[in-house]
Amino acid sequence: SPGHVDFSSEVTAALRVTDGGLVVVDCVEGVCVQTETVLRQALQERVKPVLVVNKLDRAIMELQLEPESAYNSFVKSIESVNVVIETYRDEVLGDVQVDPAKGTVCFASGLQSWGFTLNKFARMYAAKFGVEEDKLMERLWGDNFFDAKAKTWKKNKTGTGGAPLKRAFCQYILDPIYQLFDAVMNEKTAMLEKMLPALNISLKPDERSLPAQRMLKCIMQKFLPASEALLSMIVLHLP
């Protein structure tokens, strides 16, 4: 639905026949006033929500946030949504708080048409770590750090010998995305040629000659198709 306040009556009417809601939040600006209003209305009508944290491309390219800063921004947006959900806790609806580790949060770029849930990366890394997907999803979010030297997961960022560790979400999810952005936008051809086969991405000759912005969009759509992430989240988590 359009977020504008003029459409609030149409939204209220539509909510009566809705089973689930896809709440879209800007990862930079957080929950806007009208989004909060519509979310409250949805919860009063017992509509189960899932969350899309949008505009990741803006956090990476425009604001050039470090992965840890980007992670903190995402956490803040998710917590803001959960505060509203908690306020309208309903026994019949049950606990509907959104949590990336449960697959009810999708991180996306609407402008570039790519997105992912933690399921996608848990599937990719499950074999590497020899861990079940569900357990790995929990480790890819929150205060979880992998100490490669000790080959163990830790809850604090101090590794073997006092070396600082990177948060799992930043290291295994954001870093590959940031590296792709860097390789394409700064025309690091050798680095890009090495990364594409590793990610099972193949480009046609005409796609290789695209301008940087359009090539980036093309690569990201092949790597993390938004349709796949959103559809699987809706199918698995909404009534």
Side-chain angles (χ1 to χ4, degrees):
S1 70
H4 199 277
V5 69
D6 289 355
F7 295 96
S8 56
S9 57
E10 283 89 341
V11 172
T12 307
L15 285 171
R16 303 256 161 94
V17 292
T18 305
D19 294 322
L22 197 70
V23 183
V24 183
V25 172
D26 187 325
C27 73
V28 178
E29 293 174 13
V31 182
C32 297
V33 176
Q34 191 59 20
T35 308
E36 196 173 312
T37 306
V38 172
L39 178 56
R40 282 184 173 151
Q41 284 181 317
L43 292 164
Q44 284 170 332
E45 295 292 341
R46 291 177 178 161
V47 173
K48 187 180 179 181
V50 288
L51 179 67
V52 177
V53 179
N54 195 24
K55 299 190 184 178
L56 262 69
D57 58 293
R58 197 172 157 218
I60 300 168
M61 292 171 71
E62 185 188 321
L63 301 175
Q64 297 185 346
L65 295 177
E66 288 294 315
E68 184 66 24
S69 301
Y71 168 82
N72 289 327
S73 177
F74 304 158
V75 168
K76 199 173 168 188
S77 298
I78 294 165
E79 282 177 351
S80 301
V81 170
N82 279 334
V83 164
V84 179
I85 292 172
E86 185 58 33
T87 312
Y88 286 83
R89 181 180 277 274
D90 187 310
E91 301 245 336
V92 176
L93 195 56
D95 182 16
V96 290
Q97 290 212 343
V98 291
D99 181 357
K102 290 178 182 168
T104 51
V105 177
C106 176
F107 301 90
S109 163
L111 181 69
Q112 296 178 334
S113 305
W114 59 268
F116 63 89
T117 59
L118 295 195
N119 300 66
K120 168 85 176 179
F121 285 91
R123 270 197 305 274
M124 282 170 59
Y125 291 120
K128 179 184 175 182
F129 286 111
V131 180
E132 291 172 20
E133 279 182 36
D134 292 349
K135 288 180 181 175
L136 194 52
M137 276 178 70
E138 289 174 15
R139 288 174 179 172
L140 287 172
W141 186 253
D143 295 329
N144 290 296
F145 308 83
F146 185 68
D147 189 336
K149 286 183 183 175
K151 289 188 167 55
T152 56
W153 288 90
K154 296 191 171 180
K155 284 287 184 183
N156 58 63
K157 55 176 76 175
T158 309
T160 306
L165 299 173
K166 246 188 173 181
R167 189 184 300 279
F169 181 82
C170 299
Q171 185 173 352
Y172 297 111
I173 296 178
L174 290 186
D175 277 3
I177 293 171
Y178 272 65
Q179 284 164 15
L180 261 180
F181 269 70
D182 178 47
V184 176
M185 297 309 293
N186 296 314
E187 298 180 1
K188 296 180 180 177
T189 312
M191 183 180 168
L192 188 62
E193 291 302 329
K194 195 176 172 183
M195 289 184 76
L196 293 180
L199 297 170
N200 292 324
I201 299 168
S202 57
L203 292 178
K204 296 172 188 169
D206 58 326
E207 290 170 338
R208 289 178 181 277
S209 59
L210 289 170
Q213 287 269 18
R214 287 175 61 195
M215 189 197 283
L216 178 65
K217 183 177 179 178
C218 175
I219 290 170
M220 290 306 295
Q221 284 175 349
K222 288 172 186 274
F223 177 35
L224 302 168
S227 54
E228 189 183 287
L230 289 170
L231 183 63
S232 64
M233 183 169 71
I234 290 166
V235 169
L236 293 171
H237 298 287
L238 291 183

Short mmCIF file of all heavy atoms in Angstrom, two decimals, residues 5 22 27 38 45 62 74 79-80 98 119 122 138-139 149 163 174 186 189 194 201 210 216 229 237 239:
data_model
loop_
_atom_site.label_atom_id
_atom_site.label_comp_id
_atom_site.label_asym_id
_atom_site.label_seq_id
_atom_site.Cartn_x
_atom_site.Cartn_y
_atom_site.Cartn_z
N VAL A 5 -0.28 9.26 4.16
CA VAL A 5 -1.37 9.33 5.14
C VAL A 5 -2.74 9.42 4.48
O VAL A 5 -3.76 9.00 5.04
CB VAL A 5 -1.12 10.52 6.11
CG1 VAL A 5 -1.26 11.86 5.40
CG2 VAL A 5 -2.03 10.44 7.32
N LEU A 22 3.89 -7.45 4.69
CA LEU A 22 5.31 -7.27 4.40
C LEU A 22 5.65 -5.82 4.78
O LEU A 22 5.26 -4.89 4.10
CB LEU A 22 5.55 -7.51 2.91
CG LEU A 22 6.97 -7.77 2.43
CD1 LEU A 22 7.44 -9.14 2.91
CD2 LEU A 22 7.02 -7.74 0.91
N CYS A 27 16.77 1.10 5.83
CA CYS A 27 17.83 0.69 6.76
C CYS A 27 18.61 1.89 7.30
O CYS A 27 19.31 1.78 8.31
CB CYS A 27 18.79 -0.29 6.10
SG CYS A 27 19.90 0.44 4.90
N VAL A 38 0.61 2.21 10.31
CA VAL A 38 0.03 1.10 9.54
C VAL A 38 0.34 -0.24 10.22
O VAL A 38 -0.52 -1.12 10.28
CB VAL A 38 0.54 1.11 8.08
CG1 VAL A 38 0.09 -0.14 7.34
CG2 VAL A 38 0.04 2.35 7.36
N GLU A 45 -5.54 -5.80 13.73
CA GLU A 45 -6.39 -6.68 12.90
C GLU A 45 -5.84 -8.11 12.87
O GLU A 45 -6.28 -8.94 12.09
CB GLU A 45 -6.47 -6.13 11.47
CG GLU A 45 -7.15 -4.79 11.33
CD GLU A 45 -8.63 -4.82 11.63
OE1 GLU A 45 -9.23 -5.92 11.59
OE2 GLU A 45 -9.20 -3.75 11.92
N GLU A 62 26.18 5.23 -0.93
CA GLU A 62 25.99 6.65 -0.64
C GLU A 62 26.62 7.04 0.69
O GLU A 62 27.41 7.99 0.77
CB GLU A 62 24.49 6.97 -0.63
CG GLU A 62 24.18 8.44 -0.46
CD GLU A 62 22.68 8.69 -0.26
OE1 GLU A 62 21.87 8.02 -0.93
OE2 GLU A 62 22.33 9.53 0.58
N PHE A 74 21.03 -1.81 10.97
CA PHE A 74 19.99 -2.82 10.73
C PHE A 74 19.34 -3.24 12.05
O PHE A 74 18.12 -3.37 12.14
CB PHE A 74 20.57 -4.06 10.05
CG PHE A 74 21.30 -3.81 8.75
CD1 PHE A 74 22.23 -4.71 8.27
CD2 PHE A 74 21.04 -2.66 8.01
CE1 PHE A 74 22.91 -4.49 7.08
CE2 PHE A 74 21.71 -2.42 6.81
CZ PHE A 74 22.65 -3.33 6.35
N GLU A 79 14.82 -3.53 15.80
CA GLU A 79 14.36 -3.31 17.18
C GLU A 79 13.19 -2.34 17.23
O GLU A 79 12.25 -2.52 18.00
CB GLU A 79 15.51 -2.80 18.06
CG GLU A 79 16.48 -3.91 18.47
CD GLU A 79 17.67 -3.40 19.27
OE1 GLU A 79 17.85 -2.16 19.36
OE2 GLU A 79 18.43 -4.24 19.80
N SER A 80 13.22 -1.31 16.37
CA SER A 80 12.12 -0.33 16.33
C SER A 80 10.81 -1.00 15.94
O SER A 80 9.75 -0.71 16.50
CB SER A 80 12.43 0.79 15.32
OG SER A 80 13.61 1.44 15.66
N VAL A 98 9.88 -10.05 14.74
CA VAL A 98 10.71 -10.45 13.59
C VAL A 98 12.16 -10.65 14.03
O VAL A 98 12.65 -9.95 14.90
CB VAL A 98 10.62 -9.41 12.45
CG1 VAL A 98 9.23 -9.41 11.83
CG2 VAL A 98 10.97 -8.00 12.92
N ASN A 119 18.75 -17.49 5.46
CA ASN A 119 18.65 -18.86 4.92
C ASN A 119 19.62 -19.06 3.76
O ASN A 119 20.27 -20.10 3.65
CB ASN A 119 17.23 -19.15 4.38
CG ASN A 119 16.18 -19.02 5.43
OD1 ASN A 119 15.94 -17.92 5.94
ND2 ASN A 119 15.52 -20.11 5.77
N ALA A 122 23.16 -19.31 5.05
CA ALA A 122 23.29 -20.52 5.87
C ALA A 122 23.43 -21.75 4.98
O ALA A 122 24.24 -22.63 5.25
CB ALA A 122 22.08 -20.66 6.79
N GLU A 138 21.38 -18.93 13.31
CA GLU A 138 21.47 -18.26 14.62
C GLU A 138 22.86 -17.65 14.83
O GLU A 138 23.00 -16.59 15.43
CB GLU A 138 21.17 -19.26 15.74
CG GLU A 138 19.71 -19.68 15.79
CD GLU A 138 19.44 -20.78 16.80
OE1 GLU A 138 20.32 -21.02 17.65
OE2 GLU A 138 18.35 -21.39 16.73
N ARG A 139 23.88 -18.31 14.29
CA ARG A 139 25.25 -17.82 14.46
C ARG A 139 25.59 -16.68 13.51
O ARG A 139 26.55 -15.95 13.73
CB ARG A 139 26.24 -18.98 14.27
CG ARG A 139 26.19 -19.95 15.45
CD ARG A 139 27.05 -21.17 15.21
NE ARG A 139 27.00 -22.07 16.36
CZ ARG A 139 27.52 -23.29 16.37
NH1 ARG A 139 28.12 -23.75 15.29
NH2 ARG A 139 27.45 -24.04 17.44
N LYS A 149 41.52 -19.52 13.88
CA LYS A 149 42.70 -20.21 14.42
C LYS A 149 42.30 -21.33 15.36
O LYS A 149 42.82 -22.44 15.30
CB LYS A 149 43.60 -19.21 15.15
CG LYS A 149 44.37 -18.28 14.21
CD LYS A 149 45.29 -17.36 14.99
CE LYS A 149 46.00 -16.39 14.03
NZ LYS A 149 46.80 -15.40 14.76
N ALA A 163 43.71 -11.30 19.39
CA ALA A 163 43.41 -10.67 18.09
C ALA A 163 41.90 -10.39 17.99
O ALA A 163 41.09 -11.21 18.39
CB ALA A 163 43.84 -11.60 16.96
N LEU A 174 28.14 -9.50 4.80
CA LEU A 174 28.38 -8.15 4.27
C LEU A 174 29.69 -8.04 3.50
O LEU A 174 29.75 -7.38 2.47
CB LEU A 174 28.33 -7.11 5.39
CG LEU A 174 26.96 -6.85 6.02
CD1 LEU A 174 27.03 -5.70 7.02
CD2 LEU A 174 25.90 -6.52 4.97
N ASN A 186 34.81 0.13 -8.85
CA ASN A 186 36.18 0.65 -9.03
C ASN A 186 36.94 -0.09 -10.15
O ASN A 186 38.16 0.01 -10.24
CB ASN A 186 36.96 0.57 -7.71
CG ASN A 186 36.33 1.47 -6.65
OD1 ASN A 186 36.00 2.62 -6.92
ND2 ASN A 186 36.16 0.94 -5.45
N THR A 189 38.94 -5.43 -12.42
CA THR A 189 38.56 -6.56 -13.29
C THR A 189 39.11 -7.90 -12.81
O THR A 189 38.39 -8.89 -12.79
CB THR A 189 39.02 -6.28 -14.74
OG1 THR A 189 38.64 -4.96 -15.09
CG2 THR A 189 38.38 -7.25 -15.71
N LYS A 194 37.80 -13.26 -10.55
CA LYS A 194 38.08 -14.30 -9.56
C LYS A 194 36.83 -14.60 -8.71
O LYS A 194 36.54 -15.74 -8.36
CB LYS A 194 39.21 -13.82 -8.65
CG LYS A 194 39.86 -14.90 -7.81
CD LYS A 194 41.03 -14.31 -7.03
CE LYS A 194 41.57 -15.32 -6.03
NZ LYS A 194 42.65 -14.74 -5.21
N ILE A 201 28.35 -17.18 -10.68
CA ILE A 201 27.72 -16.15 -11.50
C ILE A 201 28.42 -16.12 -12.85
O ILE A 201 29.64 -16.03 -12.92
CB ILE A 201 27.83 -14.75 -10.83
CG1 ILE A 201 27.14 -14.74 -9.47
CG2 ILE A 201 27.24 -13.68 -11.73
CD1 ILE A 201 27.45 -13.51 -8.63
N LEU A 210 28.41 -3.56 -19.94
CA LEU A 210 27.50 -2.58 -19.33
C LEU A 210 28.27 -1.57 -18.48
O LEU A 210 29.35 -1.87 -17.97
CB LEU A 210 26.49 -3.30 -18.42
CG LEU A 210 25.41 -4.17 -19.06
CD1 LEU A 210 24.68 -4.98 -18.00
CD2 LEU A 210 24.42 -3.32 -19.84
N LEU A 216 26.63 -3.82 -11.93
CA LEU A 216 26.48 -4.16 -10.51
C LEU A 216 25.08 -4.69 -10.25
O LEU A 216 24.91 -5.72 -9.58
CB LEU A 216 26.77 -2.94 -9.64
CG LEU A 216 26.60 -3.13 -8.13
CD1 LEU A 216 27.62 -4.12 -7.59
CD2 LEU A 216 26.73 -1.81 -7.39
N ALA A 229 14.20 -14.43 -2.45
CA ALA A 229 14.25 -14.17 -1.00
C ALA A 229 12.88 -13.81 -0.45
O ALA A 229 12.44 -14.35 0.58
CB ALA A 229 15.24 -13.03 -0.72
N HIS A 237 6.72 -18.12 6.19
CA HIS A 237 6.41 -17.46 7.46
C HIS A 237 5.08 -16.73 7.54
O HIS A 237 4.71 -16.26 8.61
CB HIS A 237 7.54 -16.50 7.83
CG HIS A 237 8.86 -17.19 8.01
ND1 HIS A 237 9.14 -17.98 9.11
CD2 HIS A 237 9.96 -17.26 7.21
CE1 HIS A 237 10.36 -18.48 9.00
NE2 HIS A 237 10.87 -18.06 7.85
N PRO A 239 0.78 -16.74 6.93
CA PRO A 239 -0.33 -17.70 6.83
C PRO A 239 -0.80 -17.89 5.38
O PRO A 239 -0.70 -17.00 4.58
CB PRO A 239 -1.44 -17.04 7.65
CG PRO A 239 -0.80 -16.00 8.47
CD PRO A 239 0.44 -15.58 7.75
#
